[in-house]
Amino acid sequence: MLFVFVTLGVPAALVGIPWSALRGNFRAMYRWGMGTARLGIRAAGIRVRIEGLENIPQGRSCIFMSNHVSNLDAPVLLPSIPGMASVFLKKELMRIPLLGTAMRMGKYVPVSRGHSREEARKSVEAAADALRSGMHIFVFPEGTRSPDGKLLPFKKGAFFLAAETGAPMVPIVIRGTERMMSKGSLKVIPGEVVVRFLPVMEPEDFATREELMAAVRGEMERALAQGI
């Protein structure tokens, strides 16, 4: 998997990012990146089974959120989402030459290590701009990997974004990656991953952000408990 990422990813970045910048269009670069991720996952012997695609609203920018159990989650999940998706990432990564340019073109959302209200507001505004451009937002609401597969407490940022923009939320559960790559290891054990898109939730159907968050969490917990 690492061989594929380096062999295809590095040349694509060196050529594709400047080319995309000159054209002002990041779509080709995004497709190449997602294609590289898929090839890398396959090269590692990982089979991805996707379920519930019918639950994704057509023609609307959505906020996708998934449980998080492994470093394999992101390279499995992002190519599974139809269309283009932006993600939240550390603000410091935006300073990396070339890569930072690609991230800004892809409307990735920088998040500061600080917890000031102003920084949080800027992150929400950047995410809202990505949604308005027709992109999706993808986030791990737990903020970090779960050590035992049980959902950790959710961060509130994505739910605030949903309330502000009215974007539908699509919960996701992923199973299998926790057995394929353990924390602190680069070794990948081949097998099958199941990605399940759960029924969409509309922010307007809930009186508060807290109710929306509880509903999303409850849906994900039920799916994980049932082995879906």
Side-chain angles (χ1 to χ4, degrees):
M1 181 174 68
L2 184 60
F3 174 79
V4 171
F5 288 167
V6 172
T7 302
L8 296 181
V10 173
L14 293 175
V15 177
I17 293 174
W19 177 249
S20 296
L22 288 172
R23 297 180 63 202
N25 189 330
F26 188 70
R27 290 187 177 276
M29 189 68 225
Y30 185 88
R31 287 194 296 269
W32 184 278
M34 294 302 102
T36 300
R38 290 190 189 96
L39 286 174
I41 290 297
R42 290 175 187 169
I46 298 173
R47 304 180 305 278
V48 181
R49 176 155 56 95
I50 302 174
E51 302 174 345
L53 284 172
E54 68 277 5
N55 290 321
I56 302 175
Q58 299 298 307
R60 299 178 66 187
S61 295
C62 302
I63 301 172
F64 292 88
M65 52 177 50
S66 172
N67 61 312
H68 192 15
V69 292
S70 169
N71 281 335
L72 289 172
D73 293 343
V76 168
L77 287 165
L78 280 171
S80 302
I81 296 174
M84 294 178 62
S86 172
V87 299
F88 289 81
L89 46 77
K90 293 179 181 179
K91 189 175 182 178
E92 291 76 15
L93 294 177
M94 292 286 196
R95 302 189 184 121
I96 300 176
L98 203 60
L99 183 60
T101 300
M103 290 175 175
R104 284 189 289 272
M105 290 184 63
K107 292 186 178 293
Y108 283 16
V109 181
V111 178
S112 175
R113 288 182 178 178
H115 298 283
S116 71
R117 295 175 67 90
E118 179 63 18
E119 290 293 339
R121 182 186 64 80
K122 289 180 180 179
S123 294
V124 170
E125 287 180 353
D129 178 63
L131 287 169
R132 286 191 295 268
S133 74
M135 298 182 69
H136 302 300
I137 292 292
F138 172 75
V139 62
F140 292 117
E142 299 164 275
T144 188
R145 286 169 292 167
S146 169
D148 57 8
K150 296 181 180 179
L151 290 178
L152 300 173
F154 281 4
K155 307 291 185 182
K156 296 181 179 180
F159 300 94
F160 183 80
L161 174 65
E164 287 290 301
T165 62
M169 304 197 86
V170 181
I172 306 172
V173 290
I174 183 170
R175 302 180 67 91
T177 52
E178 70 280 3
R179 300 187 300 270
M180 297 176 182
M181 178 182 279
S182 59
K183 186 175 182 180
S185 173
L186 292 177
K187 182 180 179 180
V188 177
I189 300 173
E192 182 180 68
V193 176
V194 179
V195 175
R196 175 71 180 177
F197 293 95
L198 303 177
V200 64
M201 297 198 179
E202 300 284 354
E204 62 186 29
D205 293 336
F206 300 89
T208 64
R209 296 192 300 272
E210 288 72 23
E211 287 185 12
L212 174 61
M213 182 165 63
V216 170
R217 185 183 182 89
E219 191 72 23
M220 293 171 69
E221 286 179 333
R222 281 191 291 274
L224 289 170
Q226 294 168 7
I228 297 177

